[in-house]
Amino acid sequence: SQITITLKAAKAIATVRLRSPNDATGNPGMLQNFRLQYSDDNSTWTTALTVSSNPAYIMDQTRDFAVPGTPGSHLYWRIIIDRRQDGGASGSIYWKSLLLLDAGGDVARLNVAGVFDEIQSSQRIGECVAAGEPARPHRQHARWVLRPRAALSP
């Protein structure tokens, strides 16, 4: 399963920030082990970061994962889901927020209607992720809550 993200403009990603759900129902399905990949053509992918021994999250916990080296600026980024916190590799994935940050700590702007920067959910999104659909809001993703950039705290 994967989540593909198209940025508003090519950007170098330095950090992936994940925040776990703040409820006991979603926490076992939290994204735990993953790979961050980039592409210039949305076809050929290169792995920039592999997280394979991430300890279990407590509820509402935030973790930052630094991207090693300098992979450069790219328009397409994706998260390959290798393991959920409960040990599963498929099914519904939960998180409270997922952010891609540049070296200055700014949120990478997503190329979606309304220019949203943060994908948030405490609901099931597994059916969308399992289908390999890109991260973009439309009727099938109505359960997603997308916060506009102006609403993000510094």
Side-chain angles (χ1 to χ4, degrees):
S1 297
Q2 68 187 33
I3 303 161
T4 302
I5 300 166
T6 304
L7 301 181
K8 188 84 172 161
K11 192 161 207 159
I13 300 302
T15 304
V16 175
R17 178 173 292 160
L18 293 173
R19 185 171 177 188
S20 64
N22 58 356
D23 63 81
T25 303
N27 214 45
M30 174 63 184
L31 174 62
Q32 188 173 18
N33 295 339
F34 63 93
R35 287 169 282 155
L36 174 69
Q37 297 183 329
Y38 61 84
S39 174
D40 293 318
D41 60 7
N42 200 19
S43 177
T44 304
W45 294 91
T46 303
T47 299
L49 169 68
T50 299
V51 176
S52 59
S53 59
N54 189 17
Y57 287 85
I58 59 172
M59 289 188 292
D60 205 31
Q61 182 178 14
T62 300
R63 290 199 182 133
D64 286 352
F65 302 93
V67 176
T70 52
S73 296
H74 304 281
L75 189 61
Y76 303 99
W77 294 84
R78 72 180 179 187
I79 301 281
I80 304 291
I81 299 163
D82 294 322
R83 184 179 193 276
R84 300 179 323 172
Q85 184 156 295
D86 64 5
S90 62
S92 296
I93 301 296
Y94 295 78
W95 65 72
K96 188 168 185 179
S97 66
L98 181 153
L99 297 171
L100 301 180
L101 307 173
D102 66 16
D106 292 327
V107 177
R109 298 182 67 147
L110 306 181
N111 188 20
V112 295
V115 190
F116 292 98
D117 297 315
E118 181 173 0
I119 302 172
Q120 292 195 322
S121 174
S122 59
Q123 304 292 322
R124 294 182 344 140
I125 63 163
E127 60 272 14
C128 302
V129 172
E133 296 180 19
R136 63 177 185 251
H138 53 74
R139 291 180 204 270
Q140 294 165 332
H141 294 125
R143 65 178 65 70
W144 291 17
V145 177
L146 298 166
R147 288 194 330 183
R149 183 166 180 75
L152 295 176
S153 56

